[in-house]
Amino acid sequence: MTDARGSAGPNGDTPARHVPGAPCWVSLMVHGPDATEEFYGALFGWEFQPGPQQLGPYVRALLDGREVAGIGRLPPDRHLPIAWTPYFASKDVDLTAETVRSRGGTIGVGPLDAADAGRLAIGSDPAGAVFGIWQAAAHLGTAVSGVPGTPAWNELLTFESASVAKFYRTVFGYEEEPVISADLDYVTLHLGGGPVAGIHGLGRALPRDRGPHWVTYFQVADVDDALDHLVHLGGHVLRPVHDTAHGRVASVADPEGARFALVQRSS
């Protein structure tokens, strides 16, 4: 678990363009965006401003005036899972989308232009996990990392890691670092020598009601305080706080059921 490479640091540096393949944005599509904005605004201190409307009503979440995530409204007739979706940077979203298709994935939305912000596509890997592809123009993506209220890590929960890791390696050029363990199926994806995402194979332990899916980790200053606040706001604790090599982590869901994780970094 680490910060996505290519993001601006907490010291106010000018946002940099994310390197191709790096996680560069997270977006959530919901049925009730007003209530969702209120929930995440109270939980993370986000404020909101309008974003591109090509896929319907959409806002960008800001932390101290800097963009960190997006929230949009699902069309009433679309009964899709409510889930945070990570976007990975691309120099040419059309070419990346073609590679996704040629390697057994699907493209469900796009490629299409998001006004002057950039060009996007939304697809799924061969196991069915949904992800986005972003070709930046005016909007570079997440503009700050490493502070509470920002995305800290993206992890794919799937049946098994090897074949899916090969798909993402072919599409985005990752290097793989598997965990050598008899009881843990895990691969860390690297770019430029640094980790950017993880793939966790759960086998039959994968939740049947969700299937393979990406989980976004959001950094918090104190995970116990954040959990208390989340429950008070109407969220749900899916897995209580537990210690990991990267800090204290809890798995949670927002009031509409979107799953994510809270992480308090190791000092």
Side-chain angles (χ1 to χ4, degrees):
M1 186 186 302
T2 189
D3 300 319
R5 298 174 66 87
S7 297
N11 56 0
D13 295 341
T14 301
R17 186 174 294 274
H18 294 262
V19 298
C24 63
W25 189 245
V26 290
S27 192
L28 175 64
M29 302 297 286
V30 297
H31 295 292
D34 292 342
T36 298
E37 289 175 38
E38 185 176 347
F39 171 83
Y40 286 102
L43 182 63
F44 293 138
W46 292 349
E47 298 177 336
F48 300 92
Q49 69 178 19
Q53 309 292 307
Q54 273 70 16
L55 299 179
Y58 190 82
V59 296
R60 291 178 182 153
L62 308 179
L63 187 66
D64 295 327
R66 309 184 73 182
E67 297 170 341
V68 293
I71 296 174
R73 183 195 296 273
L74 275 172
D77 59 340
R78 297 293 293 274
H79 300 287
L80 301 172
I82 307 298
W84 281 100
T85 299
Y87 282 70
F88 301 96
S90 171
K91 288 184 176 180
D92 185 334
V93 69
D94 295 81
L95 181 59
T96 303
E98 282 301 316
T99 306
V100 167
R101 294 188 185 100
S102 70
R103 298 300 175 177
T106 60
I107 297 295
V109 176
L112 57 85
D113 291 326
D116 63 347
R119 190 164 171 80
L120 68 87
I122 301 173
S124 58
D125 65 30
V130 176
F131 63 93
I133 308 164
W134 181 251
Q135 180 181 334
H139 173 61
L140 299 181
T142 303
V144 60
S145 63
V147 297
T150 62
W153 185 246
N154 290 286
E155 186 170 274
L156 173 61
L157 304 184
T158 189
F159 294 109
E160 57 83 29
S161 67
S163 63
V164 178
K166 182 178 180 181
F167 166 83
Y168 286 98
R169 182 185 72 224
T170 303
V171 173
F172 293 112
Y174 300 129
E175 297 176 348
E176 301 170 28
E177 182 181 308
V179 173
I180 308 301
S181 171
D183 56 359
L184 179 63
D185 177 14
Y186 198 96
V187 172
T188 304
L189 303 176
H190 289 247
L191 275 178
V196 295
I199 299 177
H200 191 179
L202 295 175
R204 293 183 179 180
L206 188 72
R208 289 187 176 183
D209 62 330
R210 284 304 317 273
H213 62 283
W214 283 92
V215 175
T216 297
Y217 287 66
F218 291 95
Q219 187 167 335
V220 294
D222 185 309
V223 70
D224 297 287
D225 286 350
L227 279 183
D228 289 342
H229 199 28
L230 174 135
V231 172
H232 177 73
L233 293 168
H236 308 280
V237 179
L238 304 178
R239 183 182 179 188
V241 179
H242 54 284
D243 292 318
T244 74
H246 308 287
R248 306 189 70 218
V249 173
S251 298
V252 299
D254 70 19
E256 277 209 32
R259 302 181 183 194
F260 59 102
L262 301 173
V263 56
Q264 177 184 337
R265 295 289 197 180
S266 302
S267 56

